[in-house]
Amino acid sequence: MKKASCISILSVALFIQIAAQVDFRFADTTAVWNYEGKLLQQASPGGYYYFTNVLNIHGDTVINTTHYQRIFNSHVRKDSNERVYVLDFSGVNEILIYDFSLGKGDTFRIYNSIAQDTMNILVDSTDIINDYGTPKKRMFVRVDPIIYGSSGSDVFIEGIGSLYSYLFQPLTDDSQLDGSVFRLLCYSENGITYQFDNSCYVGINEYLPDDVQVEIIALQTFISLSLTGMDNSFSFTLFDISGRKILQQPVNTGINTISTESIGKGIYIWTIDTSPNILTKGKIVIH
């Protein structure tokens, strides 16, 4: 009888351990996000540069015995109470970014990296939607206008994140929550792309290793391309929306600069490849 009890206890412990290792994931393992951002150019008052970030899942990892899902260059986890955390740059402290346990009328506080403070968020309403693969909870939220003098709103979707601010820093800029600073263009899950904007372009990464990171930003006269985790030279190619090749040049690990002085304003598609394999590709706006 004691032996059976011990086996039963061990089975329960094992089940709890396995559940903990599975339930920590915030997003589907096939998820891909495409965000567009607009940032002020300090050297050109009143001017902005636009960029897109394609965020991919890079597997799971364990840090200090805690399981995390690697999304782009961040470590994210969901707890059993549907709260979502991201590790800060120190790799020690967790920051609350979403709380999907809440309902209409509830409030919660999230960290504002710009103000180096927390913000009080109000939940206006919630529902369950079936528009994006599996059923997901949707929350309509807004910054507390009494504290911040702004009633800007956002939409959080379980497993997807913010629609009108950045995935890892929701509602960071509470003065511009209409998507003019960050906005989600589209989201892909299990190979199906869900459009939030007609200008969306989701990168394809069949051959992109898990430890490789790509960041690309379009400035006034050049494109800044940062590659990490790559040992070889690759080719950067820019196409217009009709598919015509505009330029091509080799790129290496580190910061690469691609001149755009001879290129007109518009929307372009970029690829990084080792022929014949495309490692990754995305959309960029040159202004």
Side-chain angles (χ1 to χ4, degrees), residues 19-278:
Q21 293 175 355
V22 173
D23 294 340
F24 67 89
R25 297 187 184 97
F26 163 66
D28 187 88
T29 56
T30 65
V32 181
W33 297 258
N34 185 296
Y35 274 93
E36 180 185 74
K38 181 182 80 171
L39 297 178
L40 180 67
Q41 295 190 69
Q42 299 298 329
S44 176
Y48 291 87
Y49 66 81
Y50 292 77
F51 63 94
T52 57
N53 271 356
V54 177
L55 312 182
N56 297 274
I57 302 291
H58 293 283
D60 304 326
T61 189
V62 179
I63 300 176
N64 296 327
T65 71
T66 301
H67 291 262
Y68 292 94
Q69 188 174 37
R70 291 177 58 209
I71 304 176
F72 190 48
N73 57 3
S74 295
H75 298 86
V76 181
R77 76 172 180 91
K78 174 175 68 73
D79 69 12
S80 58
N81 294 313
E82 304 302 322
R83 297 187 181 95
V84 182
Y85 301 86
V86 62
L87 273 183
D88 66 7
F89 292 115
S90 72
V92 176
N93 302 310
E94 291 188 332
I95 297 172
L96 177 67
I97 52 177
Y98 302 104
D99 187 345
F100 288 100
S101 69
L102 304 180
K104 180 179 179 179
D106 289 334
T107 63
F108 65 107
R109 299 186 71 81
I110 58 175
Y111 185 69
N112 183 339
S113 62
I114 292 179
Q116 296 293 301
D117 196 0
T118 55
M119 297 189 300
N120 200 48
I121 307 301
L122 308 177
V123 180
D124 283 331
S125 63
T126 68
D127 59 10
I128 302 295
I129 52 175
N130 297 284
D131 300 336
Y132 311 113
T134 57
K136 292 176 170 57
K137 183 174 183 176
R138 178 171 58 180
M139 300 174 62
F140 297 86
V141 302
R142 58 191 170 96
V143 178
D144 190 333
I146 297 177
I147 298 177
Y148 299 99
S150 167
S151 58
S153 60
D154 201 344
V155 178
F156 296 165
I157 299 177
E158 187 178 15
I160 296 179
S162 167
L163 298 191
Y164 301 115
S165 50
Y166 200 44
L167 174 65
F168 309 118
Q169 297 175 317
L171 291 167
T172 289
D173 188 341
D174 60 283
S175 64
Q176 301 186 62
L177 299 181
D178 59 353
S180 61
V181 174
F182 281 100
R183 59 183 177 136
L184 182 62
L185 300 180
C186 58
Y187 168 82
S188 175
E189 183 177 307
N190 291 313
I192 302 174
T193 298
Y194 304 96
Q195 301 274 351
F196 296 99
D197 185 276
N198 292 332
S199 63
C200 170
Y201 195 93
V202 171
I204 299 175
N205 295 276
E206 290 95 337
Y207 301 97
L208 190 65
D210 285 346
D211 57 349
V212 171
Q213 300 292 340
V214 178
E215 295 185 21
I216 181 168
I217 296 175
L219 300 171
Q220 277 189 323
T221 59
F222 65 92
I223 293 171
S224 176
L225 172 64
S226 173
L227 302 176
T228 58
M230 292 181 169
D231 297 326
N232 303 316
S233 295
F234 298 90
S235 179
F236 175 87
T237 308
L238 199 67
F239 302 87
D240 64 18
I241 56 175
S242 70
R244 182 171 60 95
K245 184 187 293 186
I246 303 300
L247 64 81
Q248 186 174 44
Q249 76 174 59
V251 292
N252 301 287
T253 295
I255 304 297
N256 298 265
T257 300
I258 299 104
S259 174
T260 57
E261 288 185 301
S262 61
I263 298 175
K265 297 179 180 179
I267 299 174
Y268 295 89
I269 305 302
W270 57 267
T271 67
I272 297 175
D273 64 82
T274 53
S275 183
N277 297 332
I278 293 177

